Amino acid sequence: MMTVAIEGKLDRSSAILALGGGVVGDLAGFVAATYMRGIKFVQVPTTILAHDSSVGGKVAVNHPLAKNMIGAFHQPELVLYDVDTLQSLPPRDVSAGLSEMLKHGLIRDEAFAHWCEEHAEELLALNPEALGYGLERGCGIKAEIVSRDERENGERALLNLGHTIGHAIEAIAGYGEFLHGEAISIGMAGSALLGEKLGAPAGLYEDTVRMLRSLRLPTTMPAHLDTDALMEAMMHDKKFREGHMVFIIPDRIGAARIVKDVPVSAVRDVIEMLRKGE
Ligand SMILES: NC(=O)c1ccc[n+]([C@@H]2O[C@H](COP(=O)([O-])OP(=O)(O)OC[C@H]3O[C@@H](n4cnc5c(N)ncnc54)[C@H](O)[C@@H]3O)[C@@H](O)[C@H]2O)c1
Ligand SMILES: [Zn+2]
């Protein structure tokens, strides 16, 4: 894409238009952030997930060893969203996009998390009213968090709920087997189990899994993903610092916090528990 930009003689007054899903948005955004130290870009998301990722200005590309390790903060000039484009999305991609929507409820808004579950069938059927409200509220929560901590010095990290385990799944399985939203769904089930281990009330995991399943998302760890390999991948993840594992841990539905010293053994136990779907 850089070659095309150079060949096309894009200059500082040019803009890149990202028409497509989150992968296109991330790649085009990263190129726009770094080409000539930054040119403008416009996002036209065509997936539910890309709509969510167009908020917040994070753009990144993957490295074979770790997801999203190479990136930048670069806000689009404009986001144009036409929900009609979603009509052609495969059902798996619909569910995967709703995974991030529910995530916002799980970290910040209990009523919204319940709303997502109660309206799951309408959301899956792309009912315009349900989808409109869900997108608005989900992105609203994200925007509120990002506006207070754009560079992720603190609170913004809450948006990574389910992502430490999720990124490890994506890296181990090879990008492609799991959709991002599916991988973080398994990760969010794992975070709820960790939450219970660290003192959250029993029932948190059961409620979380029920909500995720209502959106037809996976919640168990597939047998072919090796625990050692997953642990290794998590060590490469940017959320691993100073010998401790940093995790976003839910306290209950609608509230989560950043825990910087989660024991590695607890994470390993949770990976094993996730296999049985306990
Ligand atoms: N930057 C961020 O803040 C952020 C946040 C969350 C996720 N992401 C990234 O976004 C990526 C996932 O995005 P995604 O789920 O959109 O995946 P994607 O971009 O791979 O799109 C999914 C699939 O749907 C196809 N597609 C796109 N729009 C379509 C449409 N309207 N109809 C039919 N098919 C369509 C695509 O060609 C692709 O095969 C991941 O790489 C993830 O890391 C970034
Ligand atoms: Zn994500």
Side-chain angles (χ1 to χ4, degrees), residues 49 52-53 67-68 100 103 142 159-161 163 167 170 180-181 184:
L49 199 136
D52 184 89
S53 66
K67 181 133 177 151
N68 291 357
E100 299 265 12
K103 179 196 76 180
K142 181 171 179 183
L159 297 171
N160 295 330
L161 179 73
H163 281 59
H167 284 168
E170 290 183 277
H180 176 70
I184 66 156

Side-chain angles (χ1 to χ4, degrees), residues 9-247:
K9 300 191 171 53
L10 297 197
D11 62 24
R12 284 235 163 79
S13 65
S14 306
I16 292 179
L17 185 106
L19 171 71
V23 169
V24 169
D26 264 2
L27 175 62
F30 182 72
V31 170
T34 46
Y35 181 77
M36 297 185 80
R37 296 188 187 81
I39 62 171
K40 292 179 176 170
F41 88 115
V42 170
Q43 259 178 298
V44 189
T46 60
T47 66
I48 298 172
L49 199 136
H51 179 257
D52 184 89
S53 66
S54 69
V55 176
K58 270 195 186 180
V59 291
V61 290
N62 297 330
H63 184 276
L65 289 179
K67 181 133 177 151
N68 291 357
M69 193 59 102
I70 300 152
F73 289 99
H74 195 55
Q75 296 285 356
E77 293 301 307
L78 175 73
V79 179
L80 280 173
Y81 196 39
D82 180 353
V83 285
D84 281 352
T85 61
L86 303 177
Q87 293 301 331
S88 53
L89 265 188
R92 262 182 82 193
D93 283 289
V94 172
S95 289
L98 296 172
S99 183
E100 299 265 12
M101 182 188 287
L102 173 62
K103 179 196 76 180
H104 299 310
L106 293 177
I107 59 180
R108 202 25 82 77
D109 185 341
E110 183 177 8
F112 181 57
H114 286 291
W115 180 92
C116 290
E117 183 182 11
E118 281 153 22
H119 295 81
E121 287 307 318
E122 289 154 79
L123 289 168
L124 290 165
L126 301 174
N127 169 289
E129 248 169 73
L131 198 62
Y133 175 73
L135 290 169
E136 198 182 310
R137 184 63 197 136
C139 291
I141 295 169
K142 181 171 179 183
E144 192 185 297
I145 292 174
V146 170
S147 67
R148 283 202 292 257
D149 176 24
E150 193 180 346
R151 297 251 148 189
E152 197 167 312
N153 297 313
E155 189 182 348
R156 183 170 183 165
L158 293 175
L159 297 171
N160 295 330
L161 179 73
H163 281 59
T164 303
I165 294 175
H167 284 168
I169 293 172
E170 290 183 277
I172 296 303
Y175 301 112
E177 182 183 344
F178 290 92
L179 299 176
H180 176 70
E182 293 172 338
I184 66 156
S185 173
I186 300 169
M188 288 191 276
S191 310
L193 274 175
L194 262 178
E196 287 193 9
K197 264 183 177 292
L198 301 178
L204 174 67
Y205 168 69
E206 200 185 314
D207 289 348
T208 305
V209 163
R210 197 191 58 246
M211 288 173 169
L212 292 165
R213 287 193 183 151
S214 76
L215 297 170
R216 301 203 189 112
L217 287 161
T219 54
T220 56
M221 186 65 77
H224 67 285
L225 301 182
D226 179 66
T227 301
D228 287 336
L230 286 163
M231 296 301 294
E232 175 83 3
M234 279 187 250
M235 305 297 177
H236 282 298
D237 198 272
K238 57 189 179 291
K239 287 170 283 298
F240 176 77
R241 285 196 199 118
E242 291 150 25
H244 297 294
M245 297 196 80
V246 182
F247 260 85

